[in-house]
């Protein structure tokens, strides 16, 4: 590059950086935060100098990333100078020679503490090892409990990384998108950041399933005019009603996100055309008196029910009982004149801002002209998560699932015998309630009186129940309790108590093993113990020690043969959780040939390049039982502990955990198949029963399409039938062709492929 070219590029970079920074400052000056522009400018200049000469994968100067994160923190979350400065400085300690002490000396202890928290969790939440992953997640939660702004800035950082994910290789895209869906979107949801949560979900969906995403976006565009006409017709009488009430209002058309639509299509086994709640209506009003906003919501609701018939079971009142994250609105579902149910959300301007920006928006409505950040209101929901940190599960996956239980839980309100209200997750039991009050109460719970009626400890509570817990000193924690408790806290406490009992048994088992190894002249190394773990089909050393301690496993001659290498080599995983792929071929020739060995990932394997599945090499990979991918599915690879490659659908629940927990082991996988092999697929059918329908279905599949039917199952009740057909197909294209043909059969109303 010539010197002139370098100068031109430098000038263009400076212009881009200056414009981005000016936009940030203008947005900050338009907020009601105390104006500390000098501090923000100081942080910007410091970060710019620290990252000088460094570029992102996209090619733009690195400083553009901290500016973009600060912009999200300011404009989309609504935070002030402390958070903006921390966002500008969030990568300085990790990526340059500056230390946290340097930040503290220049910007004070609060900003240094937040930057330190962000640095601790900077390498993605999750490491290579499960234990490291759990430790990192604990670190994140502990830092959050010190200052909630750490997680808010981390969410902003993740949002910008997702917005610029194109420049990353595919395996990194799957890792980052999976981690985003598994952790960051639920965190954003729990903090009330609905707009950000939706964008995180959509971007994850776009990178993991680009074709499905593009198809839904196209369909939304195609139906846009019709949808807008429905909105206009539906809202016209509502407009007149709101004007007559003399309200200052705005009516918005809210369209379901592509991710929400796709999720519903997967869960309900329906097509895009069968989703009727794509359109919703939002009424946002400015109350004349802030104290009357709740009453105004109900006045609007009452007026709406005079225009349209309401759905009797679809009134959601989060106005008088806001969600834990501060969300307030009144949701009602009304029948339009076109015969469709349409949800209407009624909220004040204050409620709307809290819904968009989360708890950060609370500050905007405090008394006075200007305000400073005060995170105390935002720490309420962290209390339950902090309790789990007392004794987290040793397995990182279980630990994350426990956290997610709390993140996703919808709430009910339960009363103590003294009339105090306790907020509990929906579906919780008497035992959950007992543990929420005290561990001792939960450990010795034998049942309860719910609304003065005696019930067992597995009884599920409903909103409004009054609960008196009954205990007995002779009662002790039972392993079966884990099967019916619903809260993360109860699960964690039960497992901790059970583990304490197991530790003694495991210690006895470990002593037995060491004694046996010594008496048979084997070194008690980890490699030797792991060999026996695998031989006895245990998942961990602890499980082997437990089995030995309980005498369900007794060591003998077979174990000696195994350690001396005399046993025949197993061809399948002892866990039985996966299978070597055996394709169905048109000739029997392949059955007589010896199956090739599984592919083992070499040490210097390039994980950035895609792995291609071909007709020749497909038997060298593992296909787990959790999902059954076929050519044409969006798939990825996962390098297991023995360096073999498992193939998963990208949407598989197990794959979602793997992406979030073991991102460095994820591979981009592509199909390169040529319709030589056959794969299993199942199609679900539903419709109106009539004579000859089954014959017609089989004739379409077998005669017209020449596809083998392996099994056919139909049940009929009151003139409605449901059924499934197991087929052998070449790829996803075959499945789509079969579904399209079956749609031509009269009285078939529902046709979908079972995932």
């Amino acid at each position: 590059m010539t010197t002139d070219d370098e100068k031109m590029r430098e000038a263009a970079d400076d212009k881009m950086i200056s414009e981005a920074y000016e936009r940030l400052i203008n947005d900050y000056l338009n907020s009601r935060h105390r104006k500390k522009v000098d501090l923000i400018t100081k942080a910007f200049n410091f970060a710019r100098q620290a990252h000088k000469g460094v570029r992102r994968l996209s090619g733009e100067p690195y400083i553009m990333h901290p500016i973009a994160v600060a912009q999200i923190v300011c404009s989309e979350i609504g935070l002030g100078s402390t958070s903006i400065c921390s966002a500008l400085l969030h990568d300085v300690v990790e990526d340059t020679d500056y230390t946290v002490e340097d930040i503290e000396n220049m910007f004070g202890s609060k900003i240094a503490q937040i930057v330190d928290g962000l640095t601790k969790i900077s390498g993605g939440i999750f490491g290579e090892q499960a234990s490291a992953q759990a430790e990192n997640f604990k670190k994140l939660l502990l830092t959050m409990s010190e200052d909630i702004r750490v997680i808010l800035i981390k969410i902003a950082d993740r949002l910008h990384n997702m917005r610029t994910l194109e420049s990353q290789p595919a395996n990194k895209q799957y890792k980052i998108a999976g981690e985003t869906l598994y952790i960051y979107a639920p965190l954003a949801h729990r903090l009330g950041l609905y707009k950000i949560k939706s964008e995180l979900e959509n971007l994850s969906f776009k990178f993991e399933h680009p074709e499905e995403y593009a198809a839904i976006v196209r369909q939304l565009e195609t139906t846009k005019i019709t949808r807008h006409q429905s909105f206009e017709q539906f809202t016209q009488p509502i407009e007149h009603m709101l004007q007559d009430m003399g309200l200052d209002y705005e009516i918005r058309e809210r369209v379901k996100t592509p991710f929400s639509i796709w999720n519903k299509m997967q869960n309900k086994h329906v097509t895009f055309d069968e989703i009727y709640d794509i359109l919703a209506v939002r009424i946002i009003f400015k109350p004349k008196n802030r104290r009357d906003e709740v009453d105004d919501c109900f006045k609007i609701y009452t007026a709406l029910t005079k225009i349209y018939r309401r759905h009797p079971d679809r009134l959601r009142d989060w106005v008088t009982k806001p969600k834990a994250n501060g969300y307030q609105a009144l949701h009602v579902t009304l029948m339009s004149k076109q015969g469709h149910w349409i949800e209407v959300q009624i909220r004040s301007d204050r409620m709307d801002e809290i819904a968009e920006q989360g708890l950060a928006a609370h500050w905007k409505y405090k008394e006075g002209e200007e305000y400073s950040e005060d995170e105390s209101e935002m720490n309420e929901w962290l209390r339950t998560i902090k309790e789990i940190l007392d004794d987290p599960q040793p397995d990182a996956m279980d630990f994350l699932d426990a956290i997610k239980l709390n993140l996703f839980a919808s709430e009910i309100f339960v009363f103590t015998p003294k009339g105090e209200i306790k907020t509990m997750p929906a579906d919780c039991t008497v035992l959950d309630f007992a543990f929420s009050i005290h561990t001792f109460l939960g450990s010795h719970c034998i049942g309860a009186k719910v609304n003065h009626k005696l019930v067992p400890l597995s009884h599920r509570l409903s909103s409004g129940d009054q609960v008196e817990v009954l205990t007995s000193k002779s009662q002790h924690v039972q392993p079966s309790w884990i099967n019916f408790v619903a809260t993360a806290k109860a699960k964690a406490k039960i497992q901790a108590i059970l583990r304490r009992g197991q530790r003694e048994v495991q210690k006895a088992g470990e002593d037995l093993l060491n004694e046996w190894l010594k008496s048979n002249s084997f070194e008690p190394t980890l490699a030797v113990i792991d060999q026996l773990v695998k031989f006895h089909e245990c998942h961990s050393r602890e499980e082997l020690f437990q089995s030995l301690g309980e005498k369900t496993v007794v060591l003998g001659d077979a174990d000696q043969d195994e350690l001396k290498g005399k046993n025949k080599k197993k061809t399948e995983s002892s866990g039985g959780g996966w299978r070597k792929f055996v394709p169905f071929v048109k000739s029997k020739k392949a059955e007589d040939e010896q199956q090739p060995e599984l592919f083992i990932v070499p040490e210097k394997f390039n994980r950035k390049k895609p792995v291609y599945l071909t007709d020749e090499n497909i038997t060298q990979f593992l296909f787990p039982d959790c999902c059954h991918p076929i050519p044409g599915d969006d798939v990825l690879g996962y390098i297991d502990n023995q360096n073999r490659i498992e193939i998963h659908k990208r949407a598989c629940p197990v794959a979602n955990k793997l992406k979030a927990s073991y991102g460095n082991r994820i591979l981009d996988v592509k199909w390169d198949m040529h319709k030589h092999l056959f794969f299993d697929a199942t199609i679900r059918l539903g419709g109106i029963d009539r004579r000859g329908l089954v014959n017609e279905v089989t004739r379409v599949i077998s005669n017209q399409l020449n596809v083998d039917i392996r099994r056919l199952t139909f049940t009929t009740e009151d003139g409605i039938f449901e059924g499934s057909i197991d087929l052998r197909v070449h790829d996803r294209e075959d499945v789509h062709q079969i579904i399209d043909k079956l749609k031509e059969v009269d009285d078939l109303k529902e046709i979908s492929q079972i995932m």
Side-chain angles (χ1 to χ4, degrees):
M1 187 185 281
T2 65
T3 310
D4 287 345
D5 287 341
E6 283 175 0
K7 282 180 180 173
M8 283 173 65
R9 184 175 186 179
E10 209 171 292
D13 286 349
D14 286 345
K15 186 171 183 282
M16 177 167 62
I17 293 165
S18 299
E19 285 175 354
Y21 179 64
E22 278 172 32
R23 190 163 57 250
L24 168 65
I25 288 297
N26 287 336
D27 282 6
Y28 172 65
L29 289 171
N30 286 328
S31 74
R32 273 182 53 213
H33 285 278
R34 287 199 190 125
K35 305 301 179 279
K36 295 184 181 177
V37 177
D38 291 348
L39 186 67
I40 295 171
T41 304
K42 184 180 172 184
F44 163 67
N45 289 328
F46 182 74
R48 185 177 188 177
Q49 187 58 41
H51 295 300
K52 194 174 175 65
V54 182
R55 293 188 178 275
R56 300 189 86 208
L57 280 178
S58 58
E60 68 181 15
Y62 193 87
I63 188 64
M64 291 299 291
H65 168 64
I67 296 172
V69 175
Q71 183 75 50
I72 293 167
V73 162
C74 173
S75 307
E76 299 182 51
I77 304 180
L79 298 177
S81 58
T82 304
S83 299
I84 292 168
C85 289
S86 302
L88 287 167
L89 300 166
H90 80 273
D91 278 335
V92 167
V93 174
E94 190 195 359
D95 294 345
T96 74
D97 294 331
Y98 290 103
T99 64
V100 175
E101 288 72 29
D102 295 330
I103 302 290
E104 185 169 359
N105 290 334
M106 293 188 72
F107 299 98
S109 59
K110 180 52 71 179
I111 289 173
Q113 181 192 356
I114 295 171
V115 171
D116 186 34
L118 289 160
T119 306
K120 281 176 185 167
I121 53 172
S122 60
I125 294 177
F126 311 110
E128 183 74 19
Q129 301 300 319
S131 57
Q133 169 218 33
E135 280 308 307
N136 281 333
F137 198 63
K138 264 176 73 178
K139 243 184 256 177
L140 166 75
L141 293 169
L142 286 167
T143 315
M144 279 167 64
S145 62
E146 287 165 16
D147 196 316
I148 193 70
R149 286 173 289 197
V150 171
I151 196 58
L152 290 167
I153 298 165
K154 190 65 190 167
I155 287 169
D157 178 39
R158 177 49 57 109
L159 179 58
H160 185 247
N161 283 335
M162 288 301 295
R163 285 173 177 173
T164 55
L165 202 56
E166 282 94 347
S167 52
Q168 293 282 358
N171 64 323
K172 272 278 177 68
Q173 288 179 354
Y174 303 151
K175 175 224 182 241
I176 294 166
E179 192 177 278
T180 299
L181 259 190
Y182 195 66
I183 292 296
Y184 286 98
L187 274 173
H189 177 78
R190 196 67 173 85
L191 285 164
L193 302 168
Y194 291 110
K195 200 174 180 182
I196 288 176
K197 168 242 183 190
S198 295
E199 190 176 350
L200 288 173
E201 287 175 340
N202 268 333
L203 288 167
S204 298
F205 173 41
K206 177 185 173 182
F207 286 107
E208 289 209 282
H209 306 282
E211 288 176 15
E212 281 102 325
Y213 176 83
I216 291 173
V217 169
R218 272 197 309 273
Q219 284 169 306
L220 282 171
E221 194 56 40
T222 307
T223 55
K224 188 177 179 180
I225 295 168
T226 319
R227 202 169 50 246
H228 189 67
Q229 285 172 346
S230 299
F231 171 77
E232 291 284 325
Q233 289 168 354
F234 181 75
T235 56
Q236 206 172 13
I238 297 174
E239 293 250 17
H240 294 313
M241 176 266 290
L242 292 169
Q243 285 162 12
D244 291 343
M245 290 174 75
L247 285 170
D248 182 358
Y249 70 91
E250 182 188 351
I251 298 183
R252 289 186 203 152
E253 185 177 348
R254 193 191 66 84
V255 179
K256 220 176 183 64
T257 64
F259 174 79
S260 298
I261 293 168
W262 178 75
N263 226 13
K264 194 159 191 176
M265 286 165 68
Q266 303 305 306
N267 295 335
K268 303 274 188 187
H269 301 296
V270 293
T271 63
F272 180 90
D273 298 329
E274 293 170 287
I275 296 174
Y276 295 113
D277 62 345
I278 287 174
L279 173 69
V281 171
R282 190 169 284 161
I283 298 171
I284 299 149
F285 67 93
K286 193 169 184 178
K288 290 170 185 170
N289 187 326
R290 187 66 59 196
R291 285 191 289 267
D292 295 336
E293 63 180 0
V294 170
D295 289 343
D296 288 346
C297 285
F298 281 99
K299 282 175 187 171
I300 293 168
Y301 161 70
T302 306
L304 283 173
T305 57
K306 290 174 183 173
I307 303 171
Y308 294 111
R309 184 161 60 86
R310 70 176 184 87
H311 194 296
D313 303 322
R314 293 267 186 91
L315 175 65
R316 299 284 179 268
D317 174 14
W318 287 301
V319 171
T320 53
K321 290 176 184 172
K323 290 186 179 182
N325 56 25
Y327 179 83
Q328 273 186 293
L330 200 58
H331 291 200
V332 58
T333 303
L334 305 169
M335 175 62 77
S336 73
K337 299 286 191 277
Q338 288 75 39
H340 293 309
W341 290 110
I342 293 178
E343 185 182 73
V344 179
Q345 300 170 357
I346 307 163
R347 43 169 92 152
S348 70
D349 54 349
R350 181 190 66 85
M351 295 172 189
D352 185 59
E353 273 208 77
I354 290 168
E356 295 293 309
Q357 295 188 333
L359 287 155
H362 276 298
W363 303 322
K364 290 198 174 184
Y365 293 91
K366 287 187 175 179
E367 294 300 318
E369 285 303 306
E370 290 189 329
Y371 59 95
S372 60
E373 293 185 2
D374 169 19
E375 67 276 12
S376 60
E377 290 181 16
M378 306 175 75
N379 284 328
E380 282 298 312
W381 74 279
L382 285 168
R383 285 180 186 171
T384 43
I385 290 180
K386 281 175 75 176
E387 284 170 342
I388 300 164
L389 297 173
D390 296 342
D391 199 87
Q393 290 82 343
D395 184 271
M397 293 295 199
D398 290 343
F399 180 58
L400 284 176
D401 283 342
I403 296 295
K404 282 171 72 66
L405 270 176
N406 279 46
L407 295 178
F408 280 128
S410 50
E411 295 151 339
I412 60 169
F413 299 91
V414 183
F415 294 91
T416 66
K418 291 180 180 176
E420 294 165 0
I421 292 182
K422 274 195 79 71
T423 303
M424 296 290 294
D427 281 338
C428 72
T429 62
V430 162
L431 192 56
D432 288 303
F433 180 77
F435 271 108
S436 76
I437 294 169
H438 199 280
T439 303
F440 180 85
L441 208 62
S443 305
H444 299 284
C445 176
I446 53 169
K449 283 184 179 177
V450 174
N451 306 326
H452 310 293
K453 185 183 170 189
L454 203 60
V455 297
L457 41 80
S458 60
H459 175 82
R460 299 213 173 272
L461 299 174
S462 303
S463 224
D465 282 346
Q466 189 167 29
V467 186
E468 182 189 346
V469 176
L470 305 174
T471 60
S472 165
K473 284 183 180 176
S474 61
Q475 175 72 295
H476 298 289
V477 171
Q478 305 297 318
S480 60
W481 288 6
I482 210 80
N483 298 324
F484 58 78
V485 288
T487 58
K489 181 180 179 180
K491 273 191 193 317
K493 294 296 180 191
I494 291 165
Q495 285 171 331
I497 293 162
L498 291 174
R499 273 201 306 278
R500 280 200 282 276
Q502 286 173 345
R503 278 180 205 133
E504 293 173 19
V505 178
Q506 285 176 12
K507 183 72 178 74
E510 190 175 1
D511 293 342
L512 272 171
L513 175 62
N514 287 332
E515 223 172 277
W516 181 85
L517 288 170
K518 198 175 175 184
S519 64
N520 288 285
S521 306
F522 293 111
E523 282 290 319
T525 63
L526 292 179
V528 166
I529 296 169
D530 285 342
Q531 201 174 341
L532 290 173
V533 167
K534 192 176 169 189
F535 180 65
H536 285 285
E537 303 187 358
C538 296
H539 292 101
S540 62
R541 291 170 203 149
E542 288 75 18
E543 192 179 327
L544 177 65
F545 298 153
Q546 184 81 16
S547 302
L548 290 166
E550 291 173 344
K551 306 288 192 294
T552 53
V553 165
V554 179
L555 299 169
D557 294 341
D559 297 278
Q560 288 195 51
D561 291 343
E562 173 64 22
L563 294 177
K564 289 172 183 174
K566 292 180 181 178
N567 285 337
K568 285 183 181 178
K569 192 179 176 187
K570 293 188 179 186
T571 56
E572 287 203 354
S573 156
S574 54
W578 56 267
R579 58 192 164 85
K580 227 173 156 181
F581 180 76
V582 183
F584 306 105
V585 288
K586 288 176 181 172
S587 68
K588 292 265 182 185
K589 185 183 171 188
E591 290 176 18
D592 304 325
E593 294 173 6
Q594 191 178 354
Q595 288 293 330
E597 286 296 309
L598 290 169
F599 175 71
I600 302 298
V601 175
E603 198 174 325
K604 292 187 178 177
F605 185 70
N606 187 345
R607 299 188 182 197
K608 289 182 180 177
K609 281 190 173 179
V611 173
Y612 286 90
L613 300 179
T614 67
D615 297 314
E616 289 73 34
N617 73 6
I618 196 165
T619 52
Q620 296 176 19
F621 301 96
L622 302 177
F623 285 75
D625 291 333
C626 50
C627 59
H628 299 283
I630 67 173
D633 282 333
D634 290 337
V635 289
L636 54 75
Y638 166 70
I639 302 171
D640 72 7
N641 291 332
Q642 295 174 51
N643 286 326
R644 305 166 303 188
I645 297 177
E646 295 178 6
I647 308 299
H648 289 265
K649 286 183 182 176
R650 285 182 220 156
C652 162
V654 172
N656 285 337
K657 288 188 183 183
L658 294 173
K659 282 177 289 191
S661 311
Y662 306 102
N664 297 332
R665 301 191 201 170
I666 299 298
L667 301 173
D668 182 22
V669 173
K670 298 188 186 302
W671 299 98
D672 185 18
M673 310 290 287
H674 300 91
K675 293 188 181 281
H676 296 312
L677 306 179
F678 286 94
F679 297 78
D680 287 336
T682 303
I683 289 176
R684 190 180 68 86
L685 303 173
I688 300 159
D689 189 30
R690 63 172 167 81
R691 192 186 294 274
L693 183 64
V694 175
N695 286 338
E696 209 171 317
V697 168
T698 53
R699 193 163 59 247
V700 166
I701 295 171
S702 300
N703 299 351
Q704 286 187 34
L705 299 171
N706 197 25
V707 173
D708 288 340
I709 295 177
R710 293 181 57 232
R711 186 171 61 186
L712 192 64
T713 311
F714 277 91
T715 56
T716 306
E717 190 175 339
D718 297 330
I720 302 296
F721 83 88
E722 281 188 354
S724 64
I725 308 169
D726 292 354
L727 308 164
R728 281 188 179 157
V729 297
H730 293 302
D731 50 30
R732 177 71 49 227
E733 193 184 338
D734 283 1
V735 175
H736 289 155
Q737 192 183 359
I738 292 163
I739 289 174
D740 287 344
K741 272 288 176 193
L742 287 173
K743 282 179 178 175
E744 296 172 11
V745 176
D746 288 341
D747 298 323
L748 276 185
K749 301 297 181 188
E750 295 174 354
I751 308 160
S752 61
Q753 194 221 337
I754 295 175
M755 295 294 283

